[in-house]
Amino acid sequence: MSDNASKNTTGHVWDEDLAELTNPLPNWWLWAFYITIIFSVVYWIIYPAWPMGKSFTKGMGNTITYVNNKGETKTTHWNMRAKLMKETNEAVAAQKPWFDKVAATPFEEISKNAELMQFVQSAGKTLFSENCAACHMAGGQGKLGLAPNLVDDSWIFGGTYEKIQETITIGRHGIMPPKGGSQINDEQIAQVANYVLSLSGEPHDAEAAKAGDAIFHGEGMCAACHGPDAKGIPEMGSANLTDKIWLWADVPGAPDQVAKVKAVSEVITNGLSRGKMPAWGGRLSPEQIKVLTVYVHDTLGGGK
Ligand code: HEC
Ligand code: HEC
């Protein structure tokens, strides 16, 4: 016989000597249990809790008043969504004096005001990551075939405050017709592609480039949009073809001369209309656009 017999047991024995004791629960445990029950009842009374048909108990805690996205003031029972809305309202209200100050200050003075620039950096960063980073990447460095780099000092549509503000407000859509709208044949396209590559010191066939020069400034009609110096015309958003910056023709990714000529020839043959910068005028407030303008011009850098 085991010594279990001397204790309070339920009388069940397993494996000859395993018995179930009937000791009372420890008091600390019991009280913790009662407290959780009391807590849950208090919680049911204060907060939304039980489903009731198609509705639920709303709780008797404080109501929350907030302004929704449509500008309507709403008062409702306590809930996480309303709480978040209220906190957002407060954050927006706290930022409003700053946005107003930016709106009332000329661009050049904003950039010299350390306090305002601090606001531009943090608010601009949030606005940029929410609205722009999907295409221009988080740091604004852009991506070939998607959206231009906003960090460098090369600008397709102009890099002054006013031009950047205009770009963001009304959007941009640079269009190049196939073959620039001309009737040049495949051989001429290859020649003018060699000329374009020669402008930025890329590997090219010198003889073909010479013929391409004549086409560029003649029947290819390229100079009409890209300018006689091929540096691009900001009003048209035509690319500067003399720098090492490429947005659509994947010249940097092409391993050799043949592939580079092919990459440029493809753009010339097919033309371009992929590059579409959306207009933010209806979606962001003028103050938000102004903050973004200064953010792009001064914080990302490269503004003119
Ligand atoms: C859907 C993708 C997309 C989004 C989102 C987008 N952009 Fe753009 N952005 C473009 C493209 C594409 C271009 C180039 C258009 C072209 O070359 O025709 C461009 C051009 C620009 C330019 C002109 C660059 C230059 O060299 O002149 C600026 C400035 C700019 N974007 C800022 C912004 C800002 C600020 C936002 C956020 C509010 C934003 N973009 C959101 C795609 C986008
Ligand atoms: C009607 C105006 C127009 C004509 C004509 C034109 N282009 Fe363009 N071209 C553009 C525009 C606008 C862009 C930029 C499109 C964008 O960014 O969305 C561009 C872009 C390019 C690019 C791409 C640059 C890059 O960064 O990847 C090349 C290469 C190019 N053009 C070469 C030519 C050549 C060669 C000709 C003559 C056969 C020509 N273009 C004629 C307007 C024109």
Side-chain angles (χ1 to χ4, degrees):
M1 262 287 212
S2 79
D3 58 359
N4 277 335
S6 59
K7 294 185 182 154
N8 298 329
T9 76
T10 56
H12 298 143
V13 177
W14 293 269
D15 280 352
E16 294 179 2
D17 61 352
L18 268 178
E20 192 179 356
L21 302 181
T22 57
N23 293 334
L25 291 159
N27 276 340
W28 68 264
W29 191 95
L30 210 54
W31 278 108
F33 181 60
Y34 292 149
I35 289 166
T36 58
I37 293 175
I38 294 164
F39 174 85
S40 59
V41 173
V42 172
Y43 189 97
W44 296 339
I45 294 168
I46 297 179
Y47 293 103
W50 287 99
M52 294 217 316
K54 285 191 173 152
S55 180
F56 53 90
T57 58
K58 301 281 193 298
M60 293 170 72
N62 292 339
T63 55
I64 296 185
T65 302
Y66 65 96
V67 181
N68 69 11
N69 293 335
K70 294 187 193 117
E72 302 157 347
T73 304
K74 299 261 178 195
T75 300
T76 160
H77 65 276
W78 190 97
N79 68 78
M80 287 303 282
R81 212 182 83 84
K83 184 166 175 275
L84 178 70
M85 285 301 290
K86 187 163 183 248
E87 283 165 6
T88 309
N89 292 162
E90 284 161 4
V92 168
Q95 281 197 334
K96 187 163 186 306
W98 288 99
F99 274 112
D100 289 349
K101 213 164 172 193
V102 166
T105 312
F107 283 122
E108 281 74 15
E109 279 170 40
I110 298 174
S111 65
K112 288 188 208 126
N113 183 324
E115 233 184 352
L116 274 183
M117 278 312 287
Q118 214 176 342
F119 170 68
V120 164
Q121 268 152 27
S122 70
K125 189 170 184 193
T126 309
L127 283 168
F128 194 87
S129 60
E130 280 170 6
N131 301 292
C132 323
C135 294
H136 292 281
M137 307 289 119
Q141 72 275 23
K143 194 172 179 187
L144 194 135
L146 184 62
N149 184 328
L150 303 176
V151 181
D152 60 20
D153 61 359
S154 155
W155 295 92
I156 307 170
F157 299 93
T160 61
Y161 288 114
E162 289 74 18
K163 283 291 163 197
I164 295 173
Q165 188 180 33
E166 188 182 300
T167 296
I168 302 171
T169 308
I170 64 176
R172 303 286 190 191
H173 189 186
I175 294 177
M176 167 165 151
K179 302 177 200 172
S182 74
Q183 299 297 324
I184 53 177
N185 61 32
D186 286 352
E187 193 194 348
Q188 291 171 302
I189 289 172
Q191 287 168 334
V192 84
N194 273 285
Y195 172 68
V196 167
L197 288 168
S198 76
L199 294 172
S200 52
E202 294 285 349
H204 62 277
D205 178 314
E207 209 170 310
K210 200 156 168 265
D213 186 347
I215 297 164
F216 191 93
H217 294 95
E219 67 171 309
M221 304 204 291
C222 320
C225 288
H226 290 278
D229 60 1
K231 292 208 163 129
I233 301 172
E235 285 70 32
M236 293 185 145
S238 56
N240 180 346
L241 302 176
T242 66
D243 58 20
K244 291 250 175 211
I245 299 166
W246 301 91
L247 182 53
W248 308 110
D250 191 4
V251 173
D256 53 30
Q257 185 176 321
V258 175
K260 286 178 199 288
V261 172
K262 188 161 170 269
V264 176
S265 297
E266 261 166 19
V267 166
I268 300 172
T269 306
N270 300 323
L272 285 166
S273 78
R274 279 180 283 160
K276 202 154 182 215
M277 160 72 183
W280 299 90
R283 283 182 270 183
L284 298 174
S285 70
E287 299 85 55
Q288 287 174 315
I289 290 178
K290 192 160 178 188
V291 164
L292 273 171
T293 301
V294 181
Y295 181 79
V296 169
H297 187 282
D298 294 284
T299 304
L300 296 182
K304 293 205 165 147

